[in-house]
Amino acid sequence: MNDVNTLQGAVAPRQRWRFGRTPETPPTTITPFRKTRTARSFGALTLTGALLLGGTLGTASVISPAFTQQAQAATHGYGYDQGSGFIGQEIINGIATYCLEILASPPTGESAFVGNQAWASMSADDNARVNWAVSNYGQLADNNWAAATHLFVWSLADSVEYNSHGMSGDTYYGGRVPAEQRADVLAKLAQIRADAAGVTAGQQGGGGGGLALHVDSTNNYEGTLEVLGLDPADATGTVTLTNGIFTDTGSATIAGVTNGMVLPVRGNPEDGVVDYKISGSATFSKSSGYAGQIGVYQSAGGAQQHTAGPGPKAELSFTVPVEDPAQRSTVFQPVVTSEMQQPLVGVGGTITDHATCDVAADSASPVWRTNRDGSGVRVNWDVAFYPKADTENDLPEVPAGREPIGTATAACTGPGEVMEASIVKPAGITGQITAVWSMNLASQDAAVAPTLQADWHDGFGLAAETVTAPRVTTKAVPAVYDGEQYGDTAVHTDVALYPDTAVQTFTAYKIINGQNVCDASTVYQAESPPIVIGGRTEVPGPTFTATADMGEGVNWIERTYTDDTKTVLLSEGTCGEPDEQTLRKVRPAAAGLASTGFDGSGIGWIAGGLVALGLALMTGLAVQRRRKPAPIMETANSSDTE
């Protein structure tokens, strides 16, 4: 065996070969061995695939790369073996590789990938060209492309040996290709060289640039991400946000980001977090072709052969961080705008109020807080219904000591959402009723309360929040003698709110033994036909003549309906109210004679006669007494008169 020299002319024994590099360091340069020619004969290696294809050009498939560091025995792939030496692919771990050293022994033992390296005998550009050729043409499942690629690799990686035979290396080593395929292989080699002429080693390393987050002045959830000053300017990247999403996609990650882009973003903090910042990181890169390196595989023990597989693409890559300049607040003030759903509520009717959720104009954040899943946080509301006087309007607070006649609860999860609260009107309640909606921090879920600005309630006695239970009083004839007329009149306070079809009826119930019972068993005058109210405040009912069968008297019940179908009862009187009673009176008889059974007129005539007779008798007696001397007078004056 002749002496072994490097392409640079220095002797380098095999046991001193070293490969590999650490990250962020310049590529390691490999100094290959070069043997002088020896009279060695390769065994008769055959490649079934090559024989089957017979060099046919057809559509070539691609061998799928499966990069791995595990050692595996190299096997011949596509190519030729005519007895003078194999030319073509060496398959290692599924990767088509090509021998770099013409005279070194073939990689028949275990081989493993030892890294992306710069082969020392080649310039950076030639390393990039071999990288490109092996990565593309060299992976085709075709005998002729495999042979052409191998000739191209040898012509650059071991050029001295390749051209040391007194003729072109293409001609000399092309002799290993069957004669009938040789012209096609050489044509493919020419095509590879022509295409490779434009390949240069791409730039590798880092770059720079900036990102800036801008917060919307009217909505601190909204804003933009701006990409600034990328170097290289044509780098592209992927940005991933924390506590934020890209508005256009709804995702925290977006690809294809380039210099100068302004991307709308929206805050998306963790559930329950009050203050937060959007932050993120972008990874930018620029591909610049093929790196000046090849994928180097080494046979067992470093004693046989190095082969070239696909190397890395040339790429500039760098990372840029970004963060909000200040905290974003999620604190907001929910409010409602509410409205009663009817102006009147009848007997046993339901009072229904609707409220629309919104965010207050002076809210710290003008946006309703949302959860990570995009839903709005749930805000709970308390609703109280109060009686009110007609003059208690638009008060900022509920009057002190005022007790509600009913309460309800509701909840909403965002602006524009409509809630409903209702109660059944208690019996006996008439007049105006108003609702007050309240948002109390103490009523909220633990994760929601910290994001709410303050307790809130609307005003008391708001016109839109007030409903009326009609107030109706009566002016019944209080008492009658038999033969006199009696009846009832309904007096309406809230007639202006009535529908035009409202009607009035009256029913009289008999008072029995002083008991006020108004039901079917005591009906004395059946319910009157409906009387159209027609906007009148006083509506008289029918009149009746009192008779003895009226007994002690009657209780009046007036009823007000929305129309003559009498389906909706607006108002109904209360049984036994003094103003709703007509009592029957009986005329008194003369003293002491009321029990004789006479009507009194004859008795008066007889009494008059007896009085006259008595007066006459008394007059006669008086005359007689004047004529008779008094005993006392006679004794005293006897002497004076005779």
Side-chain angles (χ1 to χ4, degrees):
M1 183 179 297
N2 296 329
D3 293 337
V4 178
N5 297 300
T6 65
L7 294 180
Q8 287 79 12
V11 176
R14 290 183 187 273
Q15 60 268 25
R16 297 182 61 187
W17 292 350
R18 295 291 185 268
F19 302 94
R21 68 183 179 91
T22 58
E24 309 301 324
T25 60
T28 302
T29 300
I30 299 176
T31 302
F33 280 91
R34 176 165 133 3
K35 284 188 178 181
T36 57
R37 290 188 303 272
T38 61
R40 64 183 175 87
S41 172
F42 293 95
L45 302 176
T46 61
L47 182 63
T48 303
L51 295 176
L52 290 174
L53 289 173
T56 303
L57 291 179
T59 300
S61 60
V62 178
I63 298 173
S64 299
F67 292 94
T68 176
Q69 304 257 345
Q70 183 178 359
Q72 181 179 343
T75 58
H76 291 329
Y78 288 93
Y80 297 103
D81 187 354
Q82 298 297 303
S84 58
F86 177 74
I87 186 168
Q89 301 169 344
E90 299 291 346
I91 306 299
I92 303 173
N93 291 333
I95 305 297
T97 70
Y98 294 84
C99 292
L100 290 163
E101 302 155 300
I102 296 174
L103 298 180
S105 300
T108 56
E110 297 291 319
S111 294
F113 179 67
V114 295
N116 293 316
Q117 313 274 335
W119 192 248
S121 63
M122 295 188 292
S123 67
D125 287 344
D126 283 347
N127 270 279
R129 291 170 183 134
V130 169
N131 181 1
W132 165 82
V134 170
S135 298
N136 294 282
Y137 293 117
Q139 299 303 306
L140 297 176
D142 182 89
N143 293 325
N144 289 0
W145 278 116
T149 300
H150 201 175
L151 291 174
F152 179 76
V153 171
W154 273 345
S155 70
L156 295 179
D158 202 357
S159 59
V160 174
E161 174 61 29
Y162 189 75
N163 294 302
S164 65
H165 303 282
M167 65 182 73
S168 164
D170 298 347
T171 302
Y172 184 80
Y173 289 102
R176 297 187 180 188
V177 177
E180 67 274 16
Q181 300 297 332
R182 198 169 297 153
D184 183 62
V185 169
L186 293 176
K188 285 178 167 52
L189 174 59
Q191 181 179 340
I192 293 173
R193 285 191 174 126
D195 293 343
V199 176
T200 58
Q203 186 180 6
Q204 287 186 289
L211 300 174
L213 280 165
H214 305 288
V215 182
D216 190 303
S217 61
T218 61
N219 181 344
N220 64 12
Y221 276 84
E222 304 295 336
T224 58
L225 174 72
E226 186 176 6
V227 185
L228 304 166
L230 293 186
D231 180 19
D234 56 350
T236 60
T238 298
V239 184
T240 298
L241 299 178
T242 299
N243 291 330
I245 58 174
F246 292 97
T247 306
D248 293 341
T249 64
S251 172
T253 299
I254 190 168
V257 178
T258 59
N259 194 38
M261 273 189 167
V262 178
L263 304 169
V265 298
R266 187 181 190 282
N268 188 31
E270 292 281 355
D271 295 349
V273 170
V274 177
D275 297 318
Y276 71 101
K277 286 184 177 182
I278 297 177
S279 61
S281 178
T283 299
F284 292 97
S285 63
K286 180 196 175 189
S287 177
S288 58
Y290 288 83
Q293 296 177 324
I294 56 176
V296 177
Y297 294 79
Q298 183 181 12
S299 57
Q304 293 181 320
Q305 179 68 264
H306 292 87
T307 60
K313 292 289 187 71
E315 185 175 74
L316 296 174
S317 179
F318 55 97
T319 299
V320 180
V322 67
E323 185 178 66
D324 271 329
Q327 294 279 356
R328 298 178 187 235
S329 174
T330 66
V331 174
F332 74 105
Q333 182 63 67
V335 296
V336 296
T337 303
S338 50
E339 183 177 16
M340 285 289 184
Q341 297 304 292
Q342 75 271 45
L344 295 170
V345 58
V347 176
T350 298
I351 303 172
T352 301
D353 195 17
H354 284 181
T356 303
C357 292
D358 204 350
V359 177
D362 60 352
S363 176
S365 169
V367 179
W368 195 283
R369 176 73 157 89
T370 57
N371 297 310
R372 267 289 170 91
D373 62 5
S375 63
V377 297
R378 175 189 172 95
V379 176
N380 299 320
W381 297 86
D382 299 309
V383 191
F385 297 83
Y386 296 94
K388 67 174 285 289
D390 291 4
T391 57
E392 294 176 327
N393 299 317
D394 300 324
L395 303 180
E397 301 292 338
V398 177
R402 186 68 52 85
E403 294 294 329
I405 62 172
T407 61
T409 59
C412 62
T413 58
E417 190 172 327
V418 178
M419 302 176 289
E420 180 177 291
S422 63
I423 63 167
V424 174
K425 183 184 77 68
I429 298 295
T430 61
Q432 293 186 353
I433 301 167
T434 192
V436 176
W437 288 74
S438 303
M439 190 285 296
N440 303 302
L441 297 181
S443 301
Q444 309 306 317
D445 295 341
V448 175
T451 68
L452 303 179
Q453 196 162 322
D455 290 343
W456 181 92
H457 64 78
D458 59 2
F460 178 91
L462 304 180
E465 281 285 73
T466 299
V467 66
T468 299
R471 290 164 285 187
V472 183
T473 58
T474 58
K475 295 192 296 184
V477 174
V480 291
Y481 290 109
D482 289 351
E484 293 181 342
Q485 296 293 298
Y486 69 97
D488 192 12
T489 298
V491 180
H492 297 269
T493 302
D494 306 298
V495 68
L497 301 174
Y498 292 1
D500 294 339
T501 55
V503 297
Q504 185 74 60
T505 67
F506 298 87
T507 306
Y509 297 86
K510 195 171 184 179
I511 301 172
I512 301 174
N513 296 325
Q515 300 299 310
N516 297 314
V517 177
C518 300
D519 60 20
S521 68
T522 59
V523 173
Y524 181 66
Q525 300 291 350
E527 186 175 25
S528 67
I531 302 166
V532 176
I533 296 173
R536 293 176 291 169
T537 57
E538 294 192 6
V539 180
T543 58
F544 304 93
T545 301
T547 58
D549 65 352
M550 184 179 176
E552 301 170 40
V554 294
N555 285 306
W556 290 101
I557 296 293
E558 89 293 341
R559 294 181 176 89
T560 307
Y561 298 96
T562 55
D563 55 45
D564 58 10
T565 65
K566 300 192 293 185
T567 303
V568 179
L569 180 61
L570 291 177
S571 174
E572 182 176 37
T574 302
C575 184
E577 289 289 325
D579 290 342
E580 297 195 21
Q581 289 182 328
T582 298
L583 302 179
R584 177 175 170 266
K585 299 188 297 181
V586 178
R587 296 182 187 277
L593 297 176
S595 63
T596 63
F598 297 97
D599 63 4
S601 60
I603 295 174
W605 179 81
I606 295 172
L610 291 174
V611 170
L613 177 61
L615 290 173
L617 291 174
M618 291 175 65
T619 302
L621 291 173
V623 172
Q624 292 178 4
R625 291 183 64 182
R626 286 197 297 271
R627 290 177 178 175
K628 182 180 179 179
I632 300 175
M633 294 293 295
E634 289 177 352
T635 301
N637 299 313
S638 58
S639 59
D640 294 342
T641 59
E642 299 240 337

